[in-house]
Amino acid sequence: MRMLQVGRWLTAIGLVLLAGVYVRALSYTPVEQTQGLAQKIFYLHVPAAIWAETAMILVGLASVFYLFTKDPRLDRFAAASAEVGTIFCVIVLTTGPIWGKPIWGTWWTWDARLTFTLFLFLLYVGYLLLRGAVPDPAMRARYAAVLGICGMCEVPFIHLSVYMFPTLHPMPIVLQPGRPKLPGSMLTTWLLSLGVFTLLYVGFVVQRYALSYLREQLEAAGEVGHA
Amino acid sequence: MQSPKLLRHAWTVASKDLLVEFRSRTAILSAAVFVVLVLVVFNFGRDPTAVSNVDLAPSILWVTFTFAAILAMNRAFQLELENQALDGLLLAPIERSSIYLGKLIANLVFVAGVELIGVPLLALFFNVRVLPYLGPLLALIALATIGFVAVGTLFSAMTTRTRFAELLLPVLLLPFMIPPLSWAVLATGRLLAGRPLSEIVGWLNMLAVYDIVFVTLAVFLFPATVNE
Amino acid sequence: MQSPKLLRHAWTVASKDLLVEFRSRTAILSAAVFVVLVLVVFNFGRDPTAVSNVDLAPSILWVTFTFAAILAMNRAFQLELENQALDGLLLAPIERSSIYLGKLIANLVFVAGVELIGVPLLALFFNVRVLPYLGPLLALIALATIGFVAVGTLFSAMTTRTRFAELLLPVLLLPFMIPPLSWAVLATGRLLAGRPLSEIVGWLNMLAVYDIVFVTLAVFLFPATVNE
Amino acid sequence: MLLAEGLRHSFGAVRALDDVSFGVSSGQTLAVFGPNGAGKTTLLKVLAGLILPQRGRAQVEGGRRAIGWIGHQPQLYGQLTVRENLRFWASLYDVPESEFLLRKDSLLGRLGLQDHEHRRVSELSRGLVQRAAIARALIHDPRVLLLDEPFTGLDRMAAEELRELLSEDAAEGRASVLVTHNVDEGAELATHIAFMRAGRFAHFAPRAGRGPQQVSEDYRNAIA
Amino acid sequence: MLLAEGLRHSFGAVRALDDVSFGVSSGQTLAVFGPNGAGKTTLLKVLAGLILPQRGRAQVEGGRRAIGWIGHQPQLYGQLTVRENLRFWASLYDVPESEFLLRKDSLLGRLGLQDHEHRRVSELSRGLVQRAAIARALIHDPRVLLLDEPFTGLDRMAAEELRELLSEDAAEGRASVLVTHNVDEGAELATHIAFMRAGRFAHFAPRAGRGPQQVSEDYRNAIA
Ligand code: HEM
Ligand SMILES: Nc1ncnc2c1ncn2[C@@H]1O[C@H](COP(=O)(O)OP(=O)(O)OP(=O)(O)O)[C@@H](O)[C@H]1O
Ligand SMILES: Nc1ncnc2c1ncn2[C@@H]1O[C@H](COP(=O)(O)OP(=O)(O)OP(=O)(O)O)[C@@H](O)[C@H]1O
Ligand SMILES: [Mg+2]
Ligand SMILES: [Mg+2]
């Protein structure tokens, strides 16, 4: 199938570019003064976090439109986006502690940002489990849509939670009202990285979408075969 | 959607639920006992010299309210399954949303009942002064309760009909209960510590927004959770 | 009373209960979620500078275990009512006491399951060191759990068949649950604070005596709670 | 008034409905007979809209409001009295108070429940509960009746009364689908007869004046 | 084998049993007919020992172990399979494993449940559940059968099979009390017939060869 191939190519290009970004980050971007090399993980951590949240929002948007149109393509996209979002969430949850250990001296603390990210991950897991648990395709799509929309509305609250609680985690530097306070070359590297993650997101989603389409075809064929 | 009818049917469903609960009183009494047990546990467990009352009170309060909410949500749809009346409800020519709203109202009344028992008991056992802050405290409790009961009721409706999904309810629910709960605990702490109201206004606003978003969502999404 | 038969039947009843719970898993998951919620509430509600972890841990532990026990006891007889199998159980030619023992075993396994989830979670969330005291801690938890679950199971059996007593259950139960619970909380506190074992031996003995007295009593009294 | 087109539904590997199509018009009564597990209850649930069929379409003129349903379970709250139950369901169907009182009294009277109106449903005997379930299903004067073994637990007088109620209903233009195992009970009410087996209609035709005896024989031939 | 002496029982103001006495000996079958709410279920529960009568005494030879009971409810766990249910009840009755397997296979075979042995009870249709409930009641080879409307929900083949099972049981010397509303189903199995009304036996006598027709007529006369 062509779509599957397109997805694979996009992902491959994304991975190569990611390596490129890190070459730039390590050799051409200044080292942050207080954190040293540990700060380099920033270029993985933050774009992954942004896409982990965005993917959930896209799931929700697709779900809203699904409930109106009942177009199975939207449902498939939502599923794909959730799967990819889960992966990005895992990246955040692994890069965060790796970064945290040298900076904070501990892998994990139960502050708001970290806890809420953990529960965002749980939300993704719940979403995927729910999809696995409902055998009837129409019902599965509707239930998943309900959860997806709720999930989308949950994201802003998670995002804003850092403002509400005393927390160790840095406040938003890039995504904040007003101008980003990041030195120029760091910003460029970071923007490149964000672009690469976008490409990765698209690549993964296209692949998962194509796969679930194929699986549905097979399922339908299987059912006809049974009769 | 004809709104007066929607509300009337919702009230019919809610008042039936409350009547059934009033007749059996099992759930409310379990909740009351739990409140007392929690208070006793903390009363004995606390070293009065190390931990002051006001530091603990908010957490204790919210643990008991969470328990009440879980109980209420279990009760709400269990009741229909027990009496095999869920099919009848689904068959009735009413907006699906009115079933949701009815269950929500009944759950809120139930949880409010437990809260009305819990707050004075806490004040009594722990010698916490709640009277000076009663107004804002009640507002805070109401706002937070609505938020997490609204989401919980929605999901419990979704999962009563599917065998597997029942396993999921808790997993689904957690991410949605934790934000309002954690705001509520923090705000209650400030309030009971006698901090100025302005310090908790931010949280109250967040809770209010959360309530509005999720109640609206639930009313619109509930129909999608039942076969149409 | 033929003791091997009594135990065999009790085990038959218990393993059936556990199989049903394993198939649906509703109760154990509710309990697990509740554990997480309690931990989160206390995590956010606690001012780390004012309240140290070790001061809170015992109370939190026992609140969640109490919740699990209440859930288990509700479940135990609810299950028979739901499937209308209670009449069948009462009709079977088995010692009444074996029904009680069976339910007790199932409840204990259930509560133990929750405790096995709860202790590590507590250690994780609150950074409390439990490993050095693991042996005595487990003994303490086991003794206290047996005590209050034994009494609770007896009373909940009594109340499933009679409408009036249902209202009384909580009231009856409270005075019996409070002593073992309060000993357990106090002892856990000492233990986690790293005090020498000798300080809690007294409580452990008390709990052991309580268990022996009430399990024996319940086994003999249970037959009187069902129609003969 | 009631139309089923190519209904199919499976529970996992069990095919409960397998290409069932038929129609029932005003005044007609379709009696469905079939062995246990044939899919009769599933068919009624699909018609009522309680189960969404995996294939095919079921349509009832007038939608949910028009349906009166008696299922395997009474759909009454044990903790409420008969009257409280009826009032609850009536108000969900927007039955005006005056009409509710009239219909309630007439139904309770005919079903012999006058003395039990204020008793809790959990205290009633099985047959009395079934009578209350019948009253519940008819309280909103439905145009289409879906009846799943409605005679269960009824004594002879009540069964007689129910038959009378149903034939009056048919005379007034209601359409019904009646599932039962007792040919004697169902055959004479029916204008059409269907025999169901493993999710399919093995036979579906007008009764054409055949008596219980003959229907019984047809059934044996169709199912064996 | 079964003796009732002056049984009385009231639920609040409702007199469910009012001075009922009778005996059933080995090989006999007592069929009890009566309108809804007459007290038939209460009578069976008192005989089984599930309700302690306020006056009088009920005795079953062999005690609880000897009783096989089919009530209004199936007494099966929906979350367990048919086989798991049967095994559970069999082990409460101390049925040895080998005998359990034999009886289970024979009962499931005769009741047409072979294909459903490994399905959960909650997934079965009503009639299939009732069949499983019958198997459950007979798994320990009881000497005395107390049957409360055991034909409910059964299709014709299963009802036929149950009648056969019951008449074999009677031939082997079991005693039974059978409550049903359908005279056709119950009359031919019975050696004795009782008509019950408002908690009393309005009639209690050997059947003496009377057919369903005549029993029906007697019933009408006795109750009216
Ligand atoms: C331990 C687990 C961690 C988790 C789960 C986590 C989670 C997140 C999330 C979800 C975001 C996205 C913020 C948003 O856009 O809403 C984020 C951003 C960020 N994180 Fe972390 N983080 C962790 C550890 C760390 C550590 C140790 C550091 C460095 C000290 C760090 C520094 C940052 C920075 C600088 C941002 C960008 C903020 C912005 O500009 O929006 N994180 N993190
Ligand atoms: N919820 C369910 N899950 C799994 N299987 C089911 C479910 N409901 C019904 N079935 C199966 O579908 C088939 C048809 O069931 P249905 O209840 O429609 O039969 P029925 O004709 O009404 O039988 P009966 O005469 O016994 O009431 C049966 O094999 C049944 O076990
Ligand atoms: N638990 C109870 N509480 C109150 N009243 C009860 C209870 N059980 C039975 N009754 C009442 O006792 C009377 C006899 O009930 P019973 O169930 O014995 O009747 P039945 O002859 O079996 O009727 P049916 O043919 O409807 O099954 C009825 O009026 C019933 O309402
Ligand atoms: Mg059926
Ligand atoms: Mg009865």
Side-chain angles (χ1 to χ4, degrees):
Chain A
M1 221 192 111
R2 250 193 60 230
M3 226 173 142
L4 194 57
Q5 242 137 35
V6 171
R8 287 204 176 124
W9 273 109
L10 286 178
T11 314
I13 296 172
L15 288 174
V16 171
L17 286 180
L18 185 62
V21 165
Y22 259 80
V23 171
R24 184 191 150 92
L26 291 173
S27 32
Y28 301 106
T29 309
V31 175
E32 214 263 353
Q33 286 168 6
T34 47
Q35 301 190 10
L37 268 185
Q39 185 266 347
K40 299 292 176 200
I41 211 163
F42 170 77
Y43 305 107
L44 262 182
H45 178 78
V46 184
I50 288 175
W51 271 107
E53 290 176 357
T54 313
M56 184 43 93
I57 290 179
L58 291 176
V59 170
L61 288 178
S63 303
V64 172
F65 290 113
Y66 172 81
L67 285 184
F68 282 109
T69 63
K70 303 275 151 142
D71 184 342
R73 285 178 299 178
L74 287 167
D75 179 51
R76 240 173 276 142
F77 168 75
S81 182
E83 287 177 3
V84 180
T86 315
I87 299 171
F88 285 143
C89 225
V90 171
I91 296 178
V92 180
L93 285 173
T94 43
T95 54
I98 293 175
W99 196 358
K101 187 69 187 172
I103 304 300
W104 300 335
T106 169
W107 298 104
W108 187 263
T109 66
W110 290 98
D111 82 355
R113 160 63 86 221
L114 276 53
T115 311
F116 283 18
T117 309
L118 186 62
F119 285 106
L120 177 66
F121 176 67
L122 200 64
L123 181 58
Y124 275 120
V125 173
Y127 181 88
L128 295 179
L129 285 176
L130 180 69
R131 294 194 70 92
V134 186
D136 181 56
M139 196 196 249
R140 178 202 306 148
R142 274 187 290 121
Y143 278 21
V146 169
L147 186 61
I149 295 170
C150 289
M152 169 178 70
C153 295
E154 175 90 347
V155 169
F157 291 101
I158 296 182
H159 186 82
L160 292 178
S161 63
V162 268
Y163 291 111
M164 309 297 303
F165 297 96
T167 170
L168 278 177
H169 192 274
M171 291 288 160
I173 318 168
V174 192
L175 286 182
Q176 66 158 5
R179 273 187 315 118
K181 304 186 188 69
L182 209 61
S185 85
M186 280 194 190
L187 185 64
T188 321
T189 311
W190 183 82
L191 283 176
L192 276 178
S193 177
L194 184 65
V196 169
F197 266 86
T198 312
L199 194 65
L200 279 176
Y201 172 81
V202 175
F204 280 132
V205 166
V206 169
Q207 277 189 66
R208 296 307 305 176
Y209 181 94
L211 276 179
S212 67
Y213 179 74
L214 285 180
R215 196 179 323 125
E216 273 168 43
Q217 299 294 88
L218 277 180
E219 262 172 29
E223 199 176 314
V224 175
H226 260 286
Chain B
M1 204 184 292
Q2 293 154 280
S3 160
K5 237 185 188 175
L6 181 88
L7 291 181
R8 188 160 48 74
H9 289 149
W11 177 243
T12 306
V13 171
S15 57
K16 180 265 301 167
D17 264 41
L18 292 172
L19 183 58
V20 170
E21 172 58 26
F22 177 75
R23 289 268 162 83
S24 61
R25 261 162 294 191
T26 356
I28 193 98
L29 275 171
S30 300
V33 168
F34 186 73
V35 171
V36 174
L37 282 178
V38 168
L39 292 175
V40 168
V41 165
F42 277 98
N43 194 45
F44 282 101
R46 174 178 59 103
D47 180 355
T49 53
V51 183
S52 89
N53 293 331
V54 175
D55 287 330
L56 273 189
S59 304
I60 295 177
L61 213 58
W62 284 103
V63 165
T64 54
F65 297 171
T66 311
F67 173 81
I70 292 185
L71 210 69
M73 288 170 323
N74 274 346
R75 212 199 80 272
F77 287 86
Q78 202 58 45
L79 169 68
E80 306 299 335
L81 291 183
E82 215 169 87
N83 295 286
Q84 287 108 9
L86 192 57
D87 280 350
L89 274 189
L90 294 180
L91 209 54
I94 57 177
E95 292 277 348
R96 302 317 202 186
S97 311
S98 61
I99 303 179
Y100 171 75
L101 269 183
K103 291 288 172 187
L104 178 61
I105 296 172
N107 284 346
L108 285 177
V109 172
F110 178 86
V111 178
V114 177
E115 292 172 345
L116 282 182
I117 303 173
V119 172
L121 276 181
L122 183 90
L124 208 79
F125 261 74
F126 277 71
N127 215 0
V128 180
R129 296 177 60 220
V130 290
L131 276 180
Y133 324 110
L134 202 59
L137 185 63
L138 290 185
L140 172 62
I141 291 179
L143 283 175
T145 306
I146 291 174
F148 66 82
V149 172
V151 181
T153 308
L154 177 68
F155 288 153
S156 69
M158 200 151 88
T159 53
T160 29
R161 300 275 288 181
T162 50
R163 178 147 50 87
F164 267 125
E166 198 168 280
L167 302 182
L168 289 176
L169 175 64
V171 181
L172 298 185
L173 212 51
L174 263 180
F176 292 93
M177 286 186 74
I178 283 177
L181 209 54
S182 44
W183 302 329
V185 176
L186 283 176
T188 312
R190 297 286 155 97
L191 200 62
L192 293 186
R195 300 291 187 86
L197 252 181
S198 58
E199 267 191 36
I200 68 159
V201 165
W203 281 310
L204 287 181
N205 286 342
M206 283 287 260
L207 285 172
V209 173
Y210 196 89
D211 291 356
I212 293 170
V213 170
F214 281 98
V215 172
T216 319
L217 264 187
V219 169
F220 281 101
L221 291 180
F222 184 77
T225 65
V226 291
N227 288 325
E228 202 51 83
Chain C
M1 203 185 294
Q2 293 156 278
S3 158
K5 236 186 191 176
L6 180 88
L7 290 181
R8 189 160 48 74
H9 289 149
W11 177 242
T12 306
V13 171
S15 57
K16 179 266 300 165
D17 263 39
L18 292 172
L19 183 59
V20 170
E21 172 58 24
F22 177 74
R23 288 269 163 84
S24 61
R25 263 164 292 190
T26 354
I28 191 97
L29 274 171
S30 300
V33 167
F34 186 73
V35 172
V36 174
L37 281 178
V38 169
L39 292 175
V40 168
V41 166
F42 277 99
N43 185 54
F44 284 104
R46 174 178 58 102
D47 179 357
T49 52
V51 183
S52 90
N53 293 331
V54 175
D55 287 331
L56 271 188
S59 304
I60 295 177
L61 213 58
W62 285 102
V63 164
T64 56
F65 296 172
T66 311
F67 173 79
I70 292 185
L71 211 67
M73 289 171 321
N74 274 347
R75 211 198 80 273
F77 287 87
Q78 202 58 42
L79 171 67
E80 306 298 337
L81 290 184
E82 216 169 87
N83 294 286
Q84 287 108 9
L86 192 56
D87 280 350
L89 273 189
L90 294 179
L91 208 54
I94 56 178
E95 294 276 348
R96 302 314 203 189
S97 310
S98 61
I99 303 179
Y100 171 75
L101 270 183
K103 290 290 173 187
L104 177 61
I105 295 171
N107 285 346
L108 285 176
V109 172
F110 178 86
V111 177
V114 177
E115 291 171 347
L116 281 183
I117 303 172
V119 172
L121 275 182
L122 183 88
L124 206 80
F125 263 76
F126 278 72
N127 218 358
V128 180
R129 296 178 61 220
V130 291
L131 275 179
Y133 325 109
L134 202 60
L137 185 64
L138 290 185
L140 172 63
I141 290 178
L143 284 175
T145 305
I146 292 174
F148 68 81
V149 172
V151 180
T153 307
L154 178 68
F155 285 123
S156 70
M158 213 154 91
T159 54
T160 32
R161 300 276 289 181
T162 48
R163 186 142 45 86
F164 263 125
E166 196 167 282
L167 300 183
L168 290 177
L169 168 67
V171 183
L172 295 181
L173 206 53
L174 265 181
F176 291 96
M177 286 186 76
I178 286 177
L181 209 54
S182 46
W183 300 330
V185 176
L186 285 175
T188 312
R190 298 285 154 98
L191 201 60
L192 293 187
R195 301 291 188 84
L197 251 181
S198 58
E199 268 190 36
I200 69 159
V201 165
W203 279 311
L204 287 181
N205 286 343
M206 285 284 260
L207 284 172
V209 172
Y210 195 89
D211 290 356
I212 293 170
V213 169
F214 279 96
V215 173
T216 319
L217 261 187
V219 168
F220 283 100
L221 290 181
F222 182 78
T225 65
V226 291
N227 288 327
E228 201 52 82
Chain D
M1 296 194 80
L2 195 153
L3 202 73
E5 280 177 11
L7 299 178
R8 283 171 199 271
H9 196 77
S10 306
F11 296 103
V14 179
R15 178 145 293 188
L17 284 183
D18 192 0
D19 195 15
V20 174
S21 307
F22 64 92
V24 180
S25 22
S26 172
Q28 293 184 340
T29 300
L30 168 66
V32 181
F33 301 98
N36 293 141
K40 307 178 294 297
T41 298
T42 310
L43 174 63
L44 288 190
K45 286 194 171 177
V46 167
L47 292 177
L50 289 173
I51 295 181
L52 204 68
Q54 283 151 355
R55 299 265 161 89
R57 207 168 58 96
Q59 209 182 349
V60 172
E61 206 180 299
R64 293 207 298 263
R65 182 176 303 277
I67 297 176
W69 156 273
I70 299 179
H72 284 325
Q73 306 291 353
Q75 281 150 35
L76 299 167
Y77 299 92
Q79 303 89 334
L80 304 185
T81 65
V82 173
R83 187 202 175 93
E84 285 163 347
N85 267 292
L86 291 181
R87 181 184 291 278
F88 171 67
W89 293 108
S91 68
L92 290 190
Y93 283 87
D94 301 314
V95 180
E97 180 69 11
S98 56
E99 201 191 318
F100 164 70
L101 290 175
L102 276 178
R103 287 194 64 80
K104 181 207 68 174
D105 285 336
S106 120
L107 282 169
L108 292 187
R110 293 193 63 173
L111 291 164
L113 283 174
Q114 312 94 320
D115 302 343
H116 304 290
E117 183 176 344
H118 295 289
R119 292 179 69 192
R120 292 198 190 172
V121 169
S122 60
E123 293 174 357
L124 296 182
S125 76
R126 177 192 229 178
L128 297 177
V129 171
Q130 182 68 12
R131 296 181 191 195
I134 295 167
R136 183 203 93 84
L138 299 179
I139 193 77
H140 61 289
D141 197 9
R143 307 290 308 153
V144 174
L145 292 177
L146 303 175
L147 311 169
D148 203 352
E149 306 185 26
F151 297 98
T152 303
L154 295 185
D155 62 19
R156 292 157 40 121
M157 285 77 79
E160 194 51 57
E161 193 59 48
L162 176 59
R163 263 193 295 278
E164 219 159 273
L165 267 170
L166 293 182
S167 64
E168 280 170 29
D169 279 354
E172 285 175 27
R174 285 176 186 70
S176 351
V177 179
L178 168 68
V179 168
T180 167
H181 289 295
N182 194 325
V183 175
D184 296 346
E185 278 170 354
E188 282 181 8
L189 285 169
T191 57
H192 291 69
I193 298 230
F195 301 138
M196 202 168 176
R197 190 198 161 137
R200 291 178 159 277
F201 272 10
H203 165 104
F204 171 55
R207 177 161 70 97
R210 303 164 88 83
Q213 220 59 291
Q214 287 161 295
V215 172
S216 231
E217 217 157 276
D218 292 351
Y219 178 64
R220 208 162 301 142
N221 297 334
I223 300 299
Chain E
M1 295 193 77
L2 195 152
L3 202 72
E5 279 177 11
L7 299 178
R8 281 173 201 272
H9 195 79
S10 306
F11 296 102
V14 178
R15 176 148 296 188
L17 284 182
D18 191 1
D19 195 15
V20 174
S21 307
F22 64 91
V24 181
S25 20
S26 172
Q28 292 184 342
T29 300
L30 168 65
V32 181
F33 301 98
N36 295 139
K40 307 178 295 296
T41 298
T42 310
L43 174 62
L44 287 190
K45 285 194 172 175
V46 167
L47 292 177
L50 289 173
I51 295 181
L52 204 68
Q54 283 150 356
R55 298 263 165 85
R57 206 168 59 95
Q59 209 182 351
V60 172
E61 206 180 298
R64 291 207 298 263
R65 182 176 304 278
I67 296 177
W69 155 273
I70 300 179
H72 284 326
Q73 306 292 354
Q75 282 149 36
L76 299 167
Y77 297 93
Q79 303 89 333
L80 304 184
T81 66
V82 173
R83 187 202 176 94
E84 286 163 348
N85 267 292
L86 291 181
R87 182 184 290 278
F88 171 68
W89 293 108
S91 68
L92 290 190
Y93 283 88
D94 301 314
V95 179
E97 180 69 10
S98 58
E99 202 189 318
F100 164 70
L101 290 176
L102 277 179
R103 287 194 64 79
K104 181 208 68 173
D105 284 337
S106 117
L107 281 170
L108 292 188
R110 294 192 62 172
L111 292 165
L113 282 175
Q114 312 95 319
D115 302 341
H116 304 291
E117 183 174 344
H118 295 289
R119 292 178 70 192
R120 294 198 189 172
V121 169
S122 61
E123 292 175 359
L124 297 182
S125 77
R126 177 192 230 177
L128 297 176
V129 171
Q130 182 69 13
R131 296 182 191 193
I134 295 167
R136 183 202 93 84
L138 300 178
I139 193 76
H140 61 288
D141 197 9
R143 309 289 309 153
V144 175
L145 292 177
L146 303 175
L147 312 170
D148 202 352
E149 307 186 27
F151 297 98
T152 303
L154 295 183
D155 62 19
R156 292 156 41 122
M157 286 75 82
E160 194 50 57
E161 194 59 49
L162 176 59
R163 263 191 296 277
E164 218 159 273
L165 268 169
L166 293 182
S167 64
E168 282 170 27
D169 280 354
E172 285 174 28
R174 284 175 186 73
S176 356
V177 180
L178 169 66
V179 168
T180 167
H181 289 296
N182 193 325
V183 176
D184 296 344
E185 278 169 354
E188 283 181 8
L189 285 169
T191 58
H192 291 68
I193 298 226
F195 300 138
M196 200 167 178
R197 190 198 162 139
R200 292 177 157 277
F201 271 10
H203 165 102
F204 172 54
R207 178 161 71 100
R210 302 163 87 83
Q213 219 62 289
Q214 287 161 296
V215 172
S216 228
E217 218 158 275
D218 292 353
Y219 177 64
R220 208 161 301 139
N221 297 334
I223 299 299

